[in-house]
Amino acid sequence: MQIQQNISLKQLNTFGIDVSAKYFSTFNNSDDLSELIALNSQLTTFILGGGSNILFTKNFDGIVLKNEIKGIELIKEDAQYIYVKAGAGENWHQFVLYTLQRNWQGLENLSLIPGNVGASPMQNIGAYGVEIKDLFYELEAFHLKEKKVFTFSVNDCGFGYRESVFKNKLKEQFVILNVTYCLNKIPKFNTSYGAIEEELNSMGVTELSAKKISLAVINIRSSKLPDPAKIGNAGSFFKNPSVTSAKFNDLKTEFPLIVGYKNPDNSVKLAAGWMIEQCGWKGFRKGDAGCHAQQALVLVNYGNAKGKEIYDLSEDILQSVQKKFGVKLEREVNLI
Ligand SMILES: Cc1cc2nc3c(=O)[nH]c(=O)nc-3n(C[C@H](O)[C@H](O)[C@H](O)COP(=O)(O)OP(=O)(O)OC[C@H]3O[C@@H](n4cnc5c(N)ncnc54)[C@H](O)[C@@H]3O)c2cc1C
């Protein structure tokens, strides 16, 4: 456990923003975390995972603590389910592959999402019709002030669309140490998301399996999303906003091609990417900050963009969508 000073974070965030942390350390167990917190109690703390859902807008004047708690453990099983606990510092996709290799099913649709296990509950990561809340069992988290470990059940986490208590009510109060998922022994596949079935067909799959669905998802994601190793980005920059059905009807009259999906509560979720595209941002570039040419929802750093330039672009996009559609977009990416 070594505290470093003035460390560049460029390689530690997928946007590739070149900022520095005044102090930096890693930890791989809760005792080290506790000690680091006690030693640096006067400093602002930031917990870093894989850095794939953050935008640094300036140098960080406190201590960045990178969670490197490892380990995957089978906790218990019954005829239907497997309970598997993973350290917060495990890479998410490697964890998904680990479960699939053992024929533990459920996480296949969430293949290839960047980042670490510890951040997966933060915004209830989701893709292709599945969210982690569907398979979540419990997590353990360290309370920074009380210096105690608490266990959170699914109800304690307040999961919603790209939301949890850790992103709002309990923001910056807890460090997630490990997460336990409840996976299926008996298949319950979800291929209803259009592109998966299409991809499975083109792969010539006749008999479904979790591994084949995972492969289909990997193929789709690799062809559609910019690879952060090549172009800096943090995936979808904005959330898809929901509006009342009355507002949706008004929008539909004015913009007949507007894309919306009904939520269970009758509100309608709009495709933010479509609205951004209609405002003319798709493929826009100013300096090294841009809006991706294939995915308008993804903001990119072509090389040396500053976090502030990406932020300013996101602000311009937000305002133009508000002006054209009367809909306020919300950022999905965490601003630091
Ligand atoms: C190309 C690309 C595609 C993506 N696709 C998707 C997608 O399909 N679905 C989706 O939901 N997301 C997607 N994302 C976003 C991102 O991968 C997820 O949000 C991921 O869970 C972030 O993990 P991370 O470890 O990188 O978190 P970080 O970016 O390091 O951190 C994110 C936030 O969580 C906090 N945090 C991290 N770890 C902990 C911890 N252990 N305890 C407490 N707080 C913590 C940080 O302080 C920060 O506020 C995508 C990103 C990219 C770059």
Side-chain angles (χ1 to χ4, degrees):
M1 212 175 57
Q2 188 202 350
I3 299 176
Q4 296 170 279
Q5 282 191 44
N6 298 319
I7 288 297
S8 168
L9 299 174
K10 190 173 165 66
Q11 304 299 327
L12 298 177
N13 70 98
T14 60
F15 252 126
I17 304 293
D18 196 4
V19 288
S20 62
K22 194 159 184 191
Y23 301 99
F24 177 89
S25 185
T26 58
F27 60 94
N28 50 30
N29 58 62
S30 58
D31 290 343
D32 285 359
L33 169 67
S34 182
E35 201 179 323
L36 280 165
I37 300 292
L39 283 172
N40 298 283
S41 56
Q42 76 290 4
L43 296 175
T44 316
T45 305
F46 179 72
I47 304 300
L48 181 66
S52 65
N53 201 18
I54 48 176
L55 176 66
F56 286 111
T57 54
K58 50 183 185 298
N59 289 336
F60 190 76
D61 197 29
I63 184 160
V64 170
L65 298 177
K66 186 164 170 11
N67 192 327
E68 292 192 344
I69 300 174
K70 298 282 200 252
I72 301 179
E73 202 184 331
L74 195 160
I75 299 294
K76 59 179 178 179
E77 64 182 298
D78 55 32
Q80 274 187 309
Y81 300 111
I82 291 272
Y83 297 79
V84 55
K85 178 175 173 177
E90 289 287 344
N91 173 274
W92 174 260
H93 180 59
Q94 294 309 318
F95 170 59
V96 172
L97 294 181
Y98 180 98
T99 63
L100 294 175
Q101 273 153 17
R102 285 155 183 80
N103 286 322
W104 303 340
Q105 302 161 84
L107 297 176
E108 53 277 5
N109 293 41
L110 304 174
S111 299
L112 215 61
I113 295 182
N116 293 349
V117 167
S120 58
M122 290 296 297
Q123 68 158 15
N124 177 27
I125 57 169
Y128 302 97
V130 175
E131 293 179 326
I132 60 104
K133 75 165 170 40
D134 306 329
L135 301 129
F136 178 92
Y137 181 62
E138 65 181 24
L139 64 76
E140 286 184 310
F142 179 86
H143 194 281
L144 288 166
K145 287 242 159 67
E146 291 187 34
K147 301 187 174 42
K148 273 187 353 205
V149 175
F150 289 81
T151 301
F152 287 74
S153 70
V154 70
N155 289 334
D156 301 327
C157 290
F159 290 128
Y161 164 62
R162 302 294 187 271
E163 272 302 340
S164 76
V165 285
F166 303 105
K167 221 181 159 180
N168 48 61
K169 212 168 76 189
L170 302 178
K171 194 172 172 175
E172 287 163 12
Q173 293 185 31
F174 282 93
V175 180
I176 295 169
L177 303 172
N178 57 65
V179 188
T180 302
Y181 283 99
C182 171
L183 305 177
N184 306 317
K185 284 183 171 174
I186 301 161
K188 278 188 214 157
F189 300 133
N190 182 345
T191 57
S192 55
Y193 193 94
I196 295 192
E197 279 179 359
E198 243 173 76
E199 180 60 27
L200 287 166
N201 285 339
S202 73
M203 284 162 61
V205 171
T206 47
E207 204 177 320
L208 275 185
S209 72
K211 283 183 195 151
K212 284 176 190 157
I213 294 173
S214 166
L215 211 56
V217 168
I218 291 171
N219 290 346
I220 300 166
R221 292 185 70 100
S222 313
S223 70
K224 284 198 170 158
L225 286 168
D227 177 357
K230 294 183 187 139
I231 306 180
N233 76 90
S236 302
F237 200 90
F238 301 98
K239 294 181 185 182
N240 288 318
S242 285
V243 295
T244 62
S245 58
K247 169 76 180 170
F248 181 68
N249 291 340
D250 291 348
L251 284 168
K252 191 88 187 155
T253 311
E254 203 178 342
F255 307 99
L257 295 179
I258 195 162
V259 188
Y261 308 91
K262 239 194 173 86
N263 290 319
D265 67 357
N266 229 23
S267 62
V268 181
K269 190 180 279 178
L270 303 173
W274 184 86
M275 292 192 287
I276 294 170
E277 194 179 337
Q278 297 306 302
C279 292
W281 291 106
K282 200 173 181 180
F284 173 90
R285 176 171 178 172
K286 185 177 174 193
D288 273 351
C291 181
H292 194 254
Q294 272 83 47
Q295 292 291 334
L297 207 48
V298 179
L299 300 192
V300 291
N301 172 11
Y302 285 104
N304 293 310
K306 303 253 179 283
K308 174 78 168 59
E309 292 173 294
I310 306 270
Y311 172 80
D312 288 346
L313 173 59
S314 76
E315 194 58 32
D316 289 346
I317 291 175
L318 234 140
Q319 281 176 22
S320 69
V321 169
Q322 169 95 52
K323 196 163 166 220
K324 192 175 174 83
F325 297 98
V327 174
K328 193 168 183 331
L329 292 184
E330 203 185 316
R331 293 178 183 85
E332 177 178 321
V333 170
N334 300 281
L335 301 175
I336 317 297

